[in-house]
Amino acid sequence: MKNPILILMACFFTLAATAQDLENIKNEKPVRFTGALTTGTTFYHISGIPDRAAVPLWYMNGSANLNLYGVVDLPFSFTIGKQNGGISYPTFRQFGVSPRYKWLTLHGGYRNMTFSSYTLAGHTFLGAGVEMKPGKFRFAAMTGRLRKAREYNPEEGFQYYPAVYKRTGWGMKIGVGTENDHFDLIFFDGKDDPNSLVLPLPDSSMTPAANRVIGFNFISQISPKLNWFADGGVSAFTRNINSHEVEDQQKEATWFFKPKYSSRVSYAVKTGLDFRFKNWGLRTAFERVMPEYETMGAFFFSNDRQNVTISPNFSLWKYKVIVNGTLGIQRDNLLKQRLATNHRLIGNANLSVNPGPHFGFDVNYTSLEINQLDGRLELSDTIRVAMVNSGFGLTPHWQWADSTRAQAIVFSANYQEVNDRNPFTREFTNMDTWFFMGTYSLNFIPSNFGINIGGNYSKINLYQLQTDRYGGTLGANKVFFENKLTTSASTTYNFTRINGTADGAVISGNLTASIAATKKLSFGLSTSLTRSNSKQFEDYTEWMGSVNLNYRF
């Protein structure tokens, strides 16, 4: 199935390339090449405790775009890097290009595409792809390698570094409409290559798999103020392509896939309404993902869940007051096969008030309530989960500015609580956290000089443990030589108390500088030093520095 897709892509690209309107492009510059290149390295040293960073570390990444006559774009990017002194080759190396001409985009190399949430959803592949949107016609296709084979290494251990089969896939999407009003049909197929591994596997449970998915995605603009959206998929997943076929299945199912004893078919669907008016809106959604729903077109998928969400928003007094939030109800164990059923009530609310140009404040609240009910077994009350995690935040802020100075004051207060409602476990799991912070910044505009000062206090209460930390920070920044050199420095000092007894302190400082050598070339330097003294834990000193170069063309 790969060759027809590639031939189709080549035909459409040739058609697009020969359909240029020469009258519209004759005044354009024939070739424009723009982009950027960044490279750098990091230095690291620590004493007192084991290393917390992999060094030496270097990296290089770049992006560029070749534009032909103002209508054809050929963008591409690359990234390479190296970690750990024992490795003599780049540990990460990918290259891809996505040329674009009007309504046509081609993909080659390492790319990722998204057809829908339940089919191909951003999985990186090494291969080719195409996207076309001429008028209201919508078409996309891809083919390539989804995963590279990895042999079993006895020295690394199968549990932490398991072998994997080479995985390939292809898919296409065809539809009609626009971005705000369309209907798409999607097909995706993935398969492991059982011959891609040479060494015998120590774990016989690892088997080559295959996957076939049919999906749809649509948005219907019922009215200028109301949209109806829906997304769904049906996935046939075979855990072992070498398992026996199921002979007594209905023949009508074989057009989609051939059922085997290791196969399963699951579905996922999401739908909702989106109301949008002048000063208020409301979004409602229902999602149901059946147990073991899986697609090879996504790196990770959360299944066995049903969600109902309501998300209102509104504004008052010419957007001086903005309110938004979300309320969601979730449950799992849709087929009653788990030992327990979890019900979750999830909510958040945000309030932003800005009555004038100088003062405003933000308030936010979050809550997660979990209640565990009996599933296949009757749960003991000693292990039953019933808790509420909640948080509250308040951030007032003031700012003033004139032709010579700009000042700002910001305060922040946050409270988080874990409230265990199980009387058998709450004594050991309840926790609350307080955090307060205040900062003042002053910038002298004519001299390009600024200072900032701040303080912070935090308290964490756990079972038989209370930790307090408080301290301050002081920083400054300065721009020299007509914005060619930008520098900043800061230092932070924090004291720690454990159960009311002084434990030690942590002091840190950092320096940064950015040098604009030319309009296209710039350098960046940074260094930081941290010293920690503690009675409960080991003392350590940690230093890190970095150098980077940026070139724009």
Side-chain angles (χ1 to χ4, degrees), residues 211-224:
N211 179 218
R212 186 160 287 181
V213 188
I214 294 178
F216 71 93
N217 177 273
F218 85 88
I219 299 177
S220 177
Q221 192 172 21
I222 299 175
S223 72

Side-chain angles (χ1 to χ4, degrees), residues 25-65:
I25 65 176
K26 64 182 182 179
N27 296 324
E28 292 284 344
K29 188 176 182 180
V31 178
R32 286 183 296 175
F33 190 64
T34 58
L37 176 67
T38 301
T39 182
T41 184
T42 298
F43 308 96
Y44 179 80
H45 175 75
I46 192 169
S47 60
I49 61 174
D51 289 354
R52 302 195 296 180
V55 289
L57 169 66
W58 64 265
Y59 62 91
M60 179 181 294
N61 58 71
S63 62
N65 183 73

Side-chain angles (χ1 to χ4, degrees), residues 122 133 148 303 335 361 371 464 518 528:
K133 297 178 182 178
K148 185 178 181 181
N303 51 34
L335 297 181
F361 65 90
N371 290 293
Q464 295 184 349
T518 66
S528 64

Side-chain angles (χ1 to χ4, degrees), residues 236-256:
F237 205 103
T238 300
R239 286 293 179 190
N240 185 1
I241 61 178
N242 296 320
S243 59
H244 295 290
E245 293 185 9
V246 180
E247 298 178 356
D248 58 350
Q249 293 292 318
Q250 297 180 0
K251 294 182 179 180
E252 289 79 1
T254 60
W255 71 270
F256 181 37

Side-chain angles (χ1 to χ4, degrees), residues 140-434:
M142 58 76 61
T143 180
R145 188 187 73 194
L146 300 173
R147 188 173 68 185
K148 185 178 181 181
R150 182 175 61 203
E151 295 285 354
Y152 166 65
N153 188 341
E155 296 181 356
E156 295 178 338
F158 188 79
Q159 180 179 0
Y160 299 102
Y161 299 94
V164 293
Y165 290 102
K166 176 185 175 182
R167 176 171 293 176
T168 58
W170 69 274
M172 65 172 55
K173 177 180 72 173
I174 185 169
V176 60
T178 64
E179 288 299 317
N180 298 322
D181 194 349
H182 64 260
F183 180 83
D184 297 330
L185 286 175
I186 305 161
F187 182 84
F188 176 78
D189 183 90
K191 187 177 182 180
D192 291 339
D193 182 2
N195 301 316
S196 58
L197 298 181
V198 178
L199 300 178
L201 299 176
D203 189 350
S204 59
S205 64
M206 180 186 149
T207 54
N211 179 218
R212 186 160 287 181
V213 188
I214 294 178
F216 71 93
N217 177 273
F218 85 88
I219 299 177
S220 177
Q221 192 172 21
I222 299 175
S223 72
K225 299 179 180 180
L226 176 60
N227 286 345
W228 176 27
F229 60 90
D231 189 1
V234 177
S235 174
F237 205 103
T238 300
R239 286 293 179 190
N240 185 1
I241 61 178
N242 296 320
S243 59
H244 295 290
E245 293 185 9
V246 180
E247 298 178 356
D248 58 350
Q249 293 292 318
Q250 297 180 0
K251 294 182 179 180
E252 289 79 1
T254 60
W255 71 270
F256 181 37
F257 84 114
K258 295 181 179 180
K260 297 187 177 184
Y261 283 102
S262 63
S263 301
R264 67 179 184 277
V265 178
S266 302
Y267 73 88
V269 64
K270 182 177 183 179
T271 185
L273 297 173
D274 192 359
F275 301 86
R276 287 177 291 182
F277 295 87
K278 182 178 181 180
N279 294 319
W280 68 276
L282 178 67
R283 183 181 179 92
T284 64
F286 171 83
E287 182 180 29
R288 185 178 177 90
V289 183
M290 295 305 292
E292 296 187 331
Y293 184 89
E294 190 174 356
T295 170
M296 289 184 176
F299 288 107
F300 171 79
F301 210 91
S302 176
N303 51 34
D304 193 9
R305 56 187 172 88
Q306 179 175 291
N307 304 317
V308 178
T309 57
I310 301 175
S311 303
N313 66 83
F314 64 89
S315 62
L316 301 172
W317 300 307
K318 298 181 179 180
Y319 298 97
K320 292 182 179 180
V321 177
I322 299 176
V323 181
N324 61 72
T326 299
L327 178 65
I329 301 174
Q330 183 184 102
R331 71 177 180 92
D332 58 13
N333 198 16
L334 301 183
L335 297 181
K336 309 298 182 182
Q337 296 177 343
R338 291 189 175 188
L339 299 180
T341 302
N342 295 291
H343 286 250
R344 299 179 177 89
L345 181 64
I346 307 169
N348 70 77
N350 303 281
L351 169 66
S352 180
V353 180
N354 295 279
H358 302 302
F359 171 72
F361 65 90
D362 300 314
V363 181
N364 64 80
Y365 174 78
T366 60
S367 176
L368 169 61
E369 180 178 345
I370 304 174
N371 290 293
Q372 198 172 63
L373 306 178
D374 295 338
R376 295 177 57 189
L377 296 178
E378 183 178 351
L379 294 178
S380 170
D381 290 338
T382 58
I383 62 172
R384 191 184 301 271
V385 177
M387 65 171 55
V388 178
N389 300 339
S390 57
F392 175 82
L394 172 64
T395 307
H397 50 85
W398 295 262
Q399 57 185 11
W400 307 268
D402 53 33
S403 60
T404 60
R405 294 185 301 176
Q407 304 175 75
I409 298 176
V410 179
F411 287 104
S412 178
N414 291 274
Y415 173 74
Q416 292 185 339
E417 179 187 43
V418 176
N419 182 9
D420 190 348
R421 295 181 174 179
N422 187 326
F424 297 94
T425 59
R426 62 183 307 165
E427 179 183 359
F428 309 101
T429 57
N430 277 355
M431 180 181 71
D432 62 80
T433 302
W434 293 89

